[in-house]
Amino acid sequence: MMISAQNFSDLKVCFLSLGLIGGSIAKALRLYHPEIKIYVYNRSENASKEALHEGIADYIMQNPTDRIDECDIIFLCAPVEINNKFLVEIKDKISPECILTDVGSVKTGIHETAEKLNLTKQFIGGHPMTGSEKSGYKNASALLLENSYYILTPSCEGQEHQLDFLQNLISSLKPITIISDYKTHDFATAAISHVPHLIAATLVKLVEENDTPEQFMKLIAAGGFKDITRIAASSPDMWEQICSGNAENIITILDYYQKLLDQIKASLVTKKEGVIYQLFEKSGAYRNSLSDHARGSIRKSYQLYTDIRDEAGAIAKIATILAKETISIKNIGITHNREHEEGILYIVFYDEKSMNDAVPVLNKNGYPVIER
C-alpha cells in the first residue's frame, strides 16, 4: 500500500521473531488498531500458534520470505546476528515502499548491514527501552510499551515521510518516541545501560571473591547493595551479545569511569578533603533531576520500605491489608540491614500505580512508608 501518515487501517505488519518485545508490540497493535493485519514468523511454532489462537496474528508465515512482499512494515525482533540474516533473505523480496525496523538495544551493527545491502532508504532502527525479568511471547503484554522511551534511528536523509509514519504508528501504542542518529544512541546506551550492567555484575563478583569463609559479606549484603546490583541478574546470553555489539563505546565509557575511580583513589591516598563530598553532592543533585515519569533502559523496581515489628504474622497482616484493597504485590520480606533504610520491611510491586496506591493504605493502618 502507499504509506499515509494518517492511515493505519489497511496496514499489513510482519514480525520476524515473536519474543517478549515483538509479541508486546504485536499485542499493542491489535489493542489499538484491531483492523491491522499481522503476519508472524517464529523459529519455534509454539509462539506463532499461540498468537494466532489469541487473535493477535492473522497469518503464520512458513518461512521469513512467505508473503513478505505483501507487508508494509517489518519488525525484526530476533538477536542482531539473526536479524542480519533476515535482511539478506528478504532484501530482494520486499516491496520498495516497505518500512524495515528492528527492536535491538544496539543499533550500529544492523545499520551497517542495511547500508551494505542498499536498504538505508527503507530501514529505520528502533529501540523500545522496556522489558521484563521474564522472556518469551507468553510474557508479552500490550501495555509493556506504555510510558517507556522508544528511540527511532533513521538511516539517512530523505526518510522524513517513512519516519513520520512509523513514529505516528509507534506513538499510538503509548510510548514516548525520540529520534536520534544511531551512533549517538549507542554511545548514550553504553553510558546509561551497558556499563551500569557491567559495574553491577563486577560489584557482585568483588564481594563474592573477597568474602570470608563464613560468607559474612553475603549475610549482610541486603538493602542498598542488593538494590544497586539488581541488574546483575540479567540474562548472560543477551548481555554478552549486547556488550560485543557495542564494545567500542563501552570501552570508551569504561576508560572514563576508570579515570573517575583513579581520582577517588588518589583523594583517599592523599587524604584530600572535599573530593568525596563534592562527588556525592553533585551526583546526588544530578540524580534527583532525573525523571521518574518514564521508563528508561534499566527496568525500574517499584518498591517501598516501612517499619514493622519483627514478629510472627507481621508480613501476613500487611499482605492482607493490601489484598483487601486489591493491591497485588510481587515480593515482600524482612531486611535486617538498616544502614541506608529506616524501615525493615520491603514490599515490591508489579507497577508504579500499585506502589502509589499502597502508600496511603499503609500509612492509614499505622505503617509509615519510605518510598524508593
Side-chain angles (χ1 to χ4, degrees), residues 314-351:
I315 292 179
K317 184 177 180 180
I318 288 184
T320 301
I321 289 171
L322 294 174
K324 285 181 178 179
E325 300 294 331
T326 65
I327 298 173
S328 298
I329 59 176
K330 184 177 182 180
N331 198 4
I332 187 170
I334 299 287
T335 175
H336 297 283
N337 186 339
R338 285 171 167 260
E339 181 182 0
H340 300 293
E341 310 295 345
E342 296 175 27
I344 61 169
L345 182 78
Y346 67 89
I347 310 171
V348 185
F349 300 88
Y350 285 96
D351 51 49

Side-chain angles (χ1 to χ4, degrees), residues 242-262:
I242 289 173
C243 290
S244 175
N246 203 23
E248 184 176 344
N249 287 311
I250 290 173
I251 291 169
T252 299
I253 297 297
L254 282 174
D255 285 342
Y256 190 84
Y257 184 64
Q258 184 64 58
K259 290 179 182 178
L260 293 176
L261 291 177
D262 288 341

